[in-house]
Amino acid sequence: MHALQSASWYRGQVRHVECQPASAARFAAPADPLPPVLARHLAARGLELFTHQAAAVDAWRAGADVLLATRTSSGKSLAFNCCVAEELLADPSATALYLYPTKALARDQLEHLVDLDRAIGLGARPAAYDGDTPSAARARIRRESRIIVSNPYGLHEYLPQAGTLRRFLAHLAVVVVDESHWYRGVFGANVALVLRRLTRLCGRLGASPRFMLASGTIANPADHGTALVGRPVTVVDADGAGHGERVVALFDAAADPRRSMGAQAAAVVAALVRAGQTTICFTGSRVLAELVARWTSALAPGTRISPYRAGYRPAERRAIEADLRSGALDAVICTNALELGIDIGGLDAAVLAGYPGTVASTWQQVGRAGRAGRPALAVIVAGDDPLDAYIVRRPATLFEAPVERAVVALGNLDVLAGQVLCASAEMPVHAGETDRFGPDLPAVLQGLHAEGLVAPVASPAAAGAGGARDSEALLGMAMGFVGTFRPASAVRLDGQPDGAVVLRVGSDVLEVLDPWRAMRQAHPGAVFLHRGETFRVTGLDLGAGEATAEVTTDGDHTRSLVAREHRAGPPDRRGVVGAWDVTVGPAVVRSQVVGYRQYHGDELLGTVPLEMPVATLHTRALRLVPRVDLHVLLGERADRPVGQSRAEPLPSIPGAGPVVGPNSVEPLAALHGAEHALIHALPLLAMCDRQDVGGMSTIVDPESGGPSFLVYDAYEGGSGIVDAAYDQIAELSRLAADMLASCDCETGCPRCVYDRDCGSGNSDLDRHGAVVVLRSVVSRFPAA
């Protein structure tokens, strides 16, 4: 800390310091000894099992599916490797599949598996089987390897080729799913259904593999693990690994408004490496990783600094990892790619350039420093994001609050339909397989049959038969895929839409964007930031998937204006909370970029109208409608200024009706602020990113005719986040109100109620009114 607080640039940014004392490791042996050859291997390396590792081995031997949920660097890999080795030693034909969220992590762990295989004479020939595996090596791996290392994307693509993997799948005994907390939302639902497809095919071949999952610390490990694998899991979460003393500092970059958060993070890293501290710095984007690395090198000449991010060639990433382990680097500036368990050796300090968005990710990143029981320092450099600012104002939110829940969107019928279609191409699907695919399977099969994508395997001609009676009869038949395309290639695990837009400068590819992001950020006239440089977009052709841009140095920036309207379907659940009717259920959200504002610094140069296509999203929404007159509710603070005067109306979709009614600025400003605050607070309860949800507020709700505000999942079919918000609406509203009330601005600012993705450019926001609204969700008679 002295290296920071004695620096010439220091302006009192350190607002809170938390000292976490060292803890001693606790060791134990399994109830029955490990196989002798494995026990000798551990002893030769001076390894003794921690209590949680021994407990995981005992749970596995009891026949359970096991989820190991302990902190970073607690030895989860050793625990599941012991279980795998024991299974493969007991049965010379048994095989094991390891799944990692990234190819980089898979390749890193493969080295340890190869060493283990040689050391104990297992003869398993561990090998990576993914998109980087040469074609010439694949046949040998399928023929000889008993341990295959891959990722969910690869497994999704390889299951339709199960015939080529028959030997491996027919003897599959263990499926290891590492970093399982990464699988949440739509991505988590797709991965969960891929795992069900795997066990389904294995069952046909006579195999019954069990799962060993390893997770970071989350609030609901049992529920999350069960959602992923489709059956109960035994959770082992009593961490026996010791750790050295750790000092965690909250650094408020806003204390020095002259310099950006990224520039101050670079100054922190430079001060630490000059003091001899090997440092890892996490950033929120590829661009920021490159910039902070460049700035750190300039501030600490003679030191060895390297960026690390996705997009580098595998050989480049492995070379950086090796340099970090060997001490050839003083610091690495990375995205969250190194948050995972890649072996990078012992580090002295971790710097987080911005709050990562969740408590769970924060501790994953902080835990990358101080390995091997050494003392460590972590510095969280908070930016001007509302969540960053709230953590600085309320440190207990980070240090004392429980971690968030991980949500899997198993109720997303679009995800289910895609995965059932893939399953039907691998083996016919029967409507009775609801224990595997859920209660919506019969309806999904009927829908796929109506589209001509599946047909009864016994009588393909019946696919064209009509009538309600025939449709009912179809439910008693197994359905097979009859399309002319490859389903696995058409179904994306990340839930992102097709139709990518390539943004080019001349012949060079600047970035690849999904269609909605292209409409918002790469419309004609937009100023696009990439790697610290600015570009002016000159054209966008969504049909061709092309956008063009040119370099600009005029210092302008732009902000798109988005109009939205919604239609809510019949709610699945409803309740009364405080002064509000709260519902959650299906909704249709229509969004359109209707223009953009152009700025030079803080000066508004003008507003330019645009005519862009309307984007329609069928999703799920959490909706709040007041049970009392909103003016009366806000009237208790009539002595305070409500809202801001509006220079121009909020954008609306042409022909969609009014967004606001007459004399509605004050209530709308309060609702608008409450909507933003709920979105900002959601990551404190459910593991999600800001881009995973959207929101709307209106004085003329299309259903009730009165005021309402809502938060919706930003994925087709829903991601499960707003359902989790409904379950915790009172606590969510309390946190959101506290985020706003703890700010000392007048009516709203970027550190409390403003939102960088606001479609109306943060017009009409009232912090005080939003606090009243949110407190009235917690209590019918809120305090002023």
Side-chain angles (χ1 to χ4, degrees):
M1 290 296 298
H2 177 73
L4 303 183
Q5 294 173 313
S6 62
S8 60
W9 49 261
Y10 183 69
R11 298 291 183 274
Q13 291 98 322
V14 175
R15 296 298 176 86
H16 180 84
V17 176
E18 191 86 6
C19 295
Q20 299 174 332
S23 67
R26 294 177 289 117
F27 300 96
D32 294 315
L34 294 171
V37 65
L38 183 56
R40 288 195 297 270
H41 166 68
L42 298 182
R45 284 158 176 74
L47 296 175
E48 187 177 357
L49 295 186
F50 297 129
T51 51
H52 65 274
Q53 295 169 328
V57 172
D58 288 336
W60 181 260
R61 288 172 171 174
D65 294 290
V66 179
L67 188 148
L68 189 55
T70 53
R71 64 178 180 81
T72 304
S73 71
S74 60
K76 292 188 285 285
S77 296
L78 178 58
F80 57 66
N81 284 345
C82 284
C83 295
V84 170
E86 193 165 274
E87 288 285 340
L88 270 59
L89 285 168
D91 180 357
S93 66
T95 60
L97 174 65
Y98 283 70
L99 295 175
Y100 295 94
T102 66
K103 288 188 285 188
L105 180 56
R107 298 283 172 152
D108 176 78
Q109 295 300 309
L110 177 61
E111 296 178 14
H112 299 286
L113 289 170
V114 170
D115 290 342
L116 176 65
D117 184 49
R118 291 194 188 117
I120 67 175
L122 198 55
R125 298 180 179 85
Y129 197 89
D130 55 34
D132 293 339
T133 304
S135 298
R138 295 192 177 201
R140 177 186 56 78
I141 294 170
R142 293 193 297 264
R143 185 175 61 250
E144 299 177 357
S145 292
R146 296 175 62 202
I147 295 178
I148 285 181
V149 175
S150 191
N151 57 74
Y153 299 98
L155 182 61
H156 172 60
E157 291 285 345
Y158 305 141
L159 285 178
Q161 308 162 23
T164 62
L165 291 164
R166 186 182 184 91
R167 176 201 64 87
F168 184 84
L169 296 178
H171 297 93
L172 188 60
V174 189
V175 180
V176 172
V177 183
D178 199 11
E179 307 289 355
S180 61
H181 59 283
W182 274 61
Y183 305 126
R184 58 186 191 265
V186 169
F187 181 39
N190 269 302
V191 171
L193 291 167
V194 168
L195 295 178
R196 285 155 173 76
R197 286 164 51 200
L198 170 66
T199 56
R200 186 169 177 265
L201 287 173
C202 288
R204 183 178 68 173
L205 298 172
S208 300
R210 287 189 288 134
F211 289 92
M212 171 69 80
L213 299 92
S215 170
T217 304
I218 58 176
N220 59 331
D223 291 343
H224 182 249
T226 296
L228 282 181
V229 304
R231 54 203 195 205
V233 298
T234 295
V235 175
V236 176
D237 57 3
D239 195 336
H243 61 81
E245 180 186 56
R246 179 179 289 124
V247 174
V248 183
L250 295 183
F251 183 104
D252 187 8
D256 184 359
R258 301 170 304 162
R259 294 189 301 165
S260 69
M261 179 271 292
Q264 293 186 63
V268 170
V269 176
L272 292 173
V273 297
R274 286 198 302 265
Q277 304 289 297
T278 305
T279 302
I280 184 169
C281 176
F282 291 96
T283 67
S285 69
R286 300 180 185 186
V287 171
L288 190 57
E290 296 281 357
L291 290 174
V292 171
R294 185 194 312 166
W295 296 334
T296 303
S297 296
L299 291 169
T303 60
R304 298 153 298 178
I305 314 294
S306 175
Y308 179 105
R309 60 171 177 82
Y312 289 175
R313 294 190 304 273
E316 290 179 303
R317 292 198 301 267
R318 287 195 283 270
I320 296 170
E321 294 159 15
D323 286 346
L324 199 54
R325 282 194 298 269
S326 68
L329 284 176
D330 296 300
V332 63
I333 317 298
C334 62
T335 59
N336 63 0
L338 282 178
E339 178 182 319
L340 301 173
I342 295 173
D343 183 9
I344 52 175
L347 302 173
D348 301 306
V351 175
L352 281 57
Y355 177 65
T358 68
V359 174
S361 287
T362 300
W363 293 119
Q364 285 280 113
Q365 294 181 10
V366 165
R368 295 301 263 157
R371 291 186 166 222
R374 290 161 34 183
L377 170 67
V379 181
I380 302 172
V381 182
D384 61 1
D385 183 87
L387 204 49
D388 291 48
Y390 184 63
I391 294 296
V392 169
R393 295 193 296 263
R394 296 282 193 270
T397 304
L398 178 63
F399 296 107
E400 299 176 18
V403 291
E404 310 88 348
R405 293 166 49 86
V407 178
V408 178
L410 288 176
N412 187 312
L413 297 187
D414 293 309
V415 171
L416 180 61
Q419 290 295 333
V420 167
L421 190 64
C422 293
S424 72
E426 297 154 3
M427 186 171 79
V429 177
H430 195 281
E433 294 184 66
T434 53
D435 59 334
R436 190 183 306 276
F437 292 112
D440 294 310
L441 176 62
V444 165
L445 281 175
Q446 281 190 329
L448 293 174
H449 177 261
E451 294 179 42
L453 296 174
V454 298
V457 293
S459 176
R469 184 177 58 187
D470 291 336
S471 296
E472 292 173 5
L474 289 171
L475 294 180
M477 302 179 181
M479 297 284 191
F481 176 66
V482 294
T484 58
F485 60 95
R486 189 170 180 270
S489 298
V491 174
R492 293 185 52 153
L493 297 191
D494 58 11
Q496 295 297 325
D498 295 326
V501 175
V502 179
L503 177 60
R504 299 180 187 273
V505 177
S507 60
D508 296 329
V509 175
L510 192 66
E511 202 157 326
V512 180
L513 313 171
D514 66 67
W516 177 240
R517 186 180 170 209
M519 285 190 276
R520 290 199 62 176
Q521 299 182 11
H523 57 75
V527 174
F528 193 91
L529 176 67
H530 179 81
R531 300 185 73 167
E533 297 184 62
T534 53
F535 302 83
R536 177 81 65 174
V537 178
T538 56
L540 171 63
D541 186 337
L542 291 169
E546 293 280 348
T548 55
E550 59 188 17
V551 175
T552 180
T553 57
D554 57 18
D556 291 353
H557 66 276
T558 56
R559 180 179 295 158
S560 62
L561 298 173
V562 180
R564 290 189 174 92
E565 66 159 0
H566 79 278
R567 289 291 185 273
D572 300 328
R573 293 184 288 170
R574 65 168 65 246
V576 176
V577 184
W580 297 79
D581 284 322
V582 183
T583 61
V584 66
V588 178
V589 178
R590 297 173 69 236
S591 305
Q592 183 181 27
V593 178
V594 295
Y596 66 93
R597 290 175 181 164
Q598 184 164 334
Y599 299 84
H600 187 82
D602 292 330
E603 179 187 1
L604 174 63
L605 301 179
T607 300
V608 180
L610 289 173
E611 292 187 10
M612 303 291 284
V614 175
T616 301
L617 178 70
H618 296 83
T619 184
R620 292 181 62 78
L622 171 76
R623 183 164 161 263
L624 293 93
V625 177
R627 295 171 59 83
V628 297
D629 186 282
L630 196 55
H631 290 88
V632 173
L633 185 69
L634 296 171
E636 63 183 69
R637 46 169 301 281
D639 58 314
R640 301 179 188 171
V642 183
Q644 305 171 34
S645 61
R646 182 164 62 237
E648 54 186 294
L650 291 175
S652 62
I653 298 176
V659 174
V660 296
N663 305 316
S664 60
V665 174
E666 294 181 2
L668 179 65
L671 294 179
H672 194 188
E675 166 215 322
H676 281 193
L678 283 184
I679 291 172
H680 296 158
L682 250 176
L684 295 173
L685 296 179
M687 295 179 71
C688 64
D689 297 323
R690 168 61 189 86
Q691 293 75 24
D692 291 340
V693 290
M696 291 181 62
S697 45
T698 179
I699 297 301
V700 186
D701 184 271
E703 275 74 38
S704 69
S708 73
F709 67 105
L710 73 152
V711 176
Y712 61 88
D713 288 333
Y715 287 87
E716 188 73 20
S719 60
I721 295 170
V722 297
D723 289 271
Y726 177 88
D727 292 334
Q728 304 176 81
I729 185 61
E731 176 63 10
L732 177 63
S733 300
R734 185 195 66 77
L735 284 169
D738 192 46
M739 288 178 70
L740 301 185
S742 61
C743 189
D744 57 5
C745 70
E746 184 174 349
T747 59
C749 72
R751 289 168 62 81
C752 64
V753 75
Y754 287 11
D755 189 284
R756 68 172 73 96
D757 293 323
C758 179
S760 62
N762 289 304
S763 295
D764 295 316
L765 286 166
D766 176 22
R767 176 175 73 89
H768 299 292
V771 170
V772 173
V773 167
L774 292 165
R775 285 178 176 169
S776 72
V777 180
V778 181
S779 169
R780 186 179 297 275
F781 303 104

